[in-house]
Each structure stands twice: as structure tokens, then as C-alpha cells.
Amino acid sequence: MFSVVRQVSRARTSLPLRATRPCRSVVFGIPFHRTLVTKRYTEEHEAVTFDDSTGIGIVSITDHAQESLGDVVFVDLPTVGSVIGKGEPIGAVESVKAASDIYAPVSGEILEVNQRLNDEPNLVNRSAEAEGWLCKIKLSEPGEMNNLLTLEGYVKSYES
């Protein structure tokens, strides 16, 4: 058995080296574009994940916020199609401890809301920044993302 493996490995190493072509932006014959997905935070405990290729941001509350709130029992979602400005209230989260308003971290049009939260508000507790997202916004001013906090800046904002 060992000699067979040795023979195969020798055969592969004896193959002549070929020049390779530079890699193109094509996968399985389909052209693709690189995208940049950025996640930023507000001091009010909202997070937005922005995809620069689509111009869409996904808004959620932070994991730290859901921990502070406790068990979420109701989520008030914004209206699809509404145009909102940065800092405007877009909904609320109610828990057994307290209620908290949600503010738009960026300006734009509400494209979609997470309907699952109507039946499963505790999804915010289980996965605040992923499955428990609140809404998708088509950003009207993508540059507003630069004014939001990085993860490090956000952590410093509530630790101090």
C-alpha cells in the first residue's frame, strides 16, 4: 500500500509546472462583484449592517441592549414604505422590565420588516443582531455610516 502512495506522489511531483493565468472575478462562469458589508452602532444601542453593493442596511438592537431589557414580550415595527430620517423613532421594544424606543441609525426608506417578531418577540433575546433584526432600510445617505460607532467605540460608550 505504501509503495502505491509513494508512486502516486512521485508521479505528481514529476509533472511539469505550467504558467497560470491571473484569477478573474468569475465563479462558475458567473461574474461577481466584491461587496463590503459594514456593521456600525449607535450610543442608543441600535446596530446597522450595511451592504454597499445593494445600499441596504439591516437594523437591529444590540446584544447588550437585549440583555439590559430582559425578556422581550412585544416589538413595535416601522411601516414598510415610510421614509425616515436619522435619529427619528422607528419603533419600540417592550420587555418584562421596561420599554425602549428604537431610533433610526441612518436615513432612508423602510423596505421590509421582520414579520417573525410579531409572533416571536423573544427572537430578539435569542439572536438580537441576526435573526432578531427589525427592518431593512434603503439608505438615502450611505455616508451616514461613517458617523456611527465601530464595535470598539460602541463598547467604550456603555462601559464608561
Side-chain angles (χ1 to χ4, degrees):
M1 175 73 171
F2 181 71
S3 63
V4 171
V5 172
R6 190 180 314 155
Q7 289 174 353
V8 170
S9 66
R10 284 184 186 157
R12 287 189 179 183
T13 58
S14 64
L15 293 175
L17 296 176
R18 293 183 294 176
T20 58
R21 289 191 233 170
C23 182
R24 295 183 187 176
S25 297
V26 177
V27 176
F28 301 112
I30 302 169
F32 72 93
H33 303 282
R34 291 190 116 179
T35 63
L36 180 63
V37 177
T38 307
K39 190 167 196 173
R40 298 296 171 125
Y41 304 84
T42 69
E43 289 183 3
E44 292 79 24
H45 309 288
E46 292 92 11
V48 61
T49 305
F50 177 67
D51 183 338
D52 75 334
S53 68
T54 61
I56 296 174
I58 301 174
V59 176
S60 63
I61 66 169
T62 65
D63 193 51
H64 174 73
Q66 71 80 20
E67 286 176 4
S68 299
L69 283 169
D71 294 332
V72 174
V73 295
F74 178 75
V75 179
D76 180 27
L77 298 169
T79 305
V80 173
S82 59
V83 177
I84 47 106
K86 181 178 179 179
E88 292 180 9
I90 58 171
V93 176
E94 294 181 21
S95 71
V96 293
K97 288 184 183 179
S100 180
D101 288 332
I102 303 165
Y103 299 96
V106 290
S107 302
E109 179 184 357
I110 305 291
L111 298 177
E112 182 181 350
V113 296
N114 189 350
Q115 295 294 338
R116 286 182 62 192
L117 296 177
N118 291 328
D119 297 326
E120 299 177 76
N122 62 355
L123 191 57
V124 172
N125 294 115
R126 291 194 311 255
S127 181
E129 295 182 38
E131 291 182 51
W133 60 273
L134 305 170
C135 64
K136 294 182 181 181
I137 298 177
K138 178 71 172 175
L139 275 67
S140 57
E141 300 289 331
E144 289 177 342
M145 288 293 295
N146 298 328
N147 299 326
L148 299 176
L149 301 171
T150 62
L151 177 59
E152 295 79 18
Y154 171 67
V155 170
K156 286 180 185 178
S157 75
Y158 68 78
E159 285 184 341
S160 56

